[in-house]
Amino acid sequence: MCACCRLLSGKEVACDLLLEVKEAVSKLSGRPPCVVFLRVGNADASVAYVNQKKKRAAEVGIRSLLKVFDSETTTEQMLIDEVKRLNEDASVDGILVQAPLPDSMDFIKVINTIAPEKDVDGFCSINMGRLIQSEPAISPCTPAGIIELLKYYNVETAGKHVVIVNRSLIVGKPLSALLLRHGVLGDATVTVCHSRTKDLRSITQQADILILACGRPCCFDRFYVKKGAVVVDVGISRVPAQNERGYVLHGDANFEDLKGYVAAITPVPGGVGPMTVAMLMKNTLKAYHLCHH
Ligand code: GUN
């Protein structure tokens, strides 16, 4: 890493955030906050993500339960019925439905069933609507984590051109809303790109801050990036390799090519990933307070 290029480590920031949550949880009287994870099927990535979330929850004193549904025999209605039951359960503060769901289920329909105050992902239409209106809401974890990361490393966004290569409900849409807000860590000029964007390179080259989340490992090298830009890499892909695990993790950025060329870059792993999980713990604590109001 060249001296002029900063590594935006998410591990460090996440560690601070988790300590804050742990301390706050330890001061609560009564039962600890409780989050329920609903996972349909056993896709490797989903299993790994949910396990990570459970592990962090235990570390900060948050109780978590995992309910696994068979992808062959579970219907959308069965999942919705479970969400409705958890909405009514006073011992549960947070509900998270891990994406993706099988093609036979409508993710939006399922998450819109979650009570907004228990929606620790911040994906339901009420929380998304509040976010767009800049009203108090539970914010989606990955975008909120990116904002926290930029804040920690004093990366200004006001007046900057932020290019996001992702238009999903999980990253691109909510992140654009956060960056467009008036005030600190907002006031950016935001361009959202996607698979149908024409001449993507000519747009990413204009970014002061480039957010990558398209799942194309190592694709974005210096031909896509302005010299001195800040690169936030949300992509995380398993690339086959001859090691014990049989794969290595790569982001969308070509890290080796960019590290001496950009002003700052997040590593993969250890960048945005830990931030997402830390924000989920913060959101669970927030949900606990909303549920105990
Ligand atoms: N799948 C990938 N990222 C996420 C996330 O942040 N929340 C949920 N529920 N599913 C995901």
Side-chain angles (χ1 to χ4, degrees), residues 87-151:
N87 283 342
E88 298 303 318
D89 186 340
S91 68
V92 171
D93 308 299
I95 304 167
L96 181 147
V97 178
Q98 184 66 24
L101 290 178
D103 290 345
S104 60
M105 297 186 195
D106 180 346
F107 183 65
I108 300 288
K109 194 171 166 193
V110 175
I111 51 144
N112 280 343
T113 318
I114 301 174
E117 66 278 11
K118 295 193 178 189
D119 172 28
V120 287
D121 258 328
F123 291 160
C124 79
S125 57
I126 300 280
N127 278 314
M128 279 284 170
R130 286 182 185 151
L131 181 68
I132 299 285
Q133 292 178 343
S134 300
E135 286 294 306
I138 297 182
S139 295
C141 304
T142 300
I146 292 171
I147 297 288
E148 283 294 320
L149 195 68
L150 296 177
K151 185 162 122 191

Side-chain angles (χ1 to χ4, degrees), residues 200-263:
L200 176 66
R201 206 175 75 159
S202 73
I203 301 171
T204 58
Q205 279 171 342
Q206 295 173 38
D208 300 311
I209 301 172
L210 179 60
I211 318 267
L212 300 170
C214 64
R216 287 199 236 158
C218 303
C219 164
F220 293 83
D221 55 20
R222 61 182 66 194
F223 295 108
Y224 282 83
V225 182
K226 183 163 78 175
K227 191 164 172 49
V230 172
V231 177
V232 176
D233 195 351
V234 190
I236 185 153
S237 305
R238 289 181 176 194
V239 177
Q242 286 179 335
N243 59 11
E244 271 172 35
R245 288 195 296 187
Y247 66 88
V248 285
L249 296 175
H250 278 300
D252 293 346
N254 187 328
F255 187 86
E256 288 306 312
D257 186 52
L258 291 179
K259 69 184 181 191
Y261 176 78
V262 294

Side-chain angles (χ1 to χ4, degrees), residues 5-22:
C5 175
R6 285 196 302 160
L7 188 69
L8 308 179
S9 164
K11 272 192 199 160
E12 212 176 292
V13 195
C15 204
D16 283 3
L17 290 173
L18 290 169
L19 268 178
E20 266 174 42
V21 175
K22 187 175 178 175

Side-chain angles (χ1 to χ4, degrees), residues 31-75:
R31 67 161 179 82
C34 172
V35 58
V36 178
F37 301 118
L38 304 180
R39 196 188 78 213
V40 183
N42 295 311
D44 288 348
S46 292
V47 170
Y49 287 140
V50 174
N51 285 345
Q52 191 70 4
K53 291 168 186 178
K54 278 191 71 60
K55 192 170 155 205
R56 289 290 171 265
E59 282 168 10
V60 299
I62 289 175
R63 185 166 174 249
S64 74
L65 300 170
L66 168 62
K67 300 199 170 195
V68 180
F69 295 81
D70 188 298
S71 56
E72 302 283 315
T73 55
T74 308
T75 62

Side-chain angles (χ1 to χ4, degrees), residues 175-197:
L175 181 57
S176 63
L178 289 171
L179 289 163
L180 287 170
R181 288 182 306 184
H182 290 273
V184 183
L185 271 305
D187 289 329
T189 302
V190 183
T191 302
V192 179
C193 301
H194 48 80
S195 53
R196 302 294 298 269
T197 296

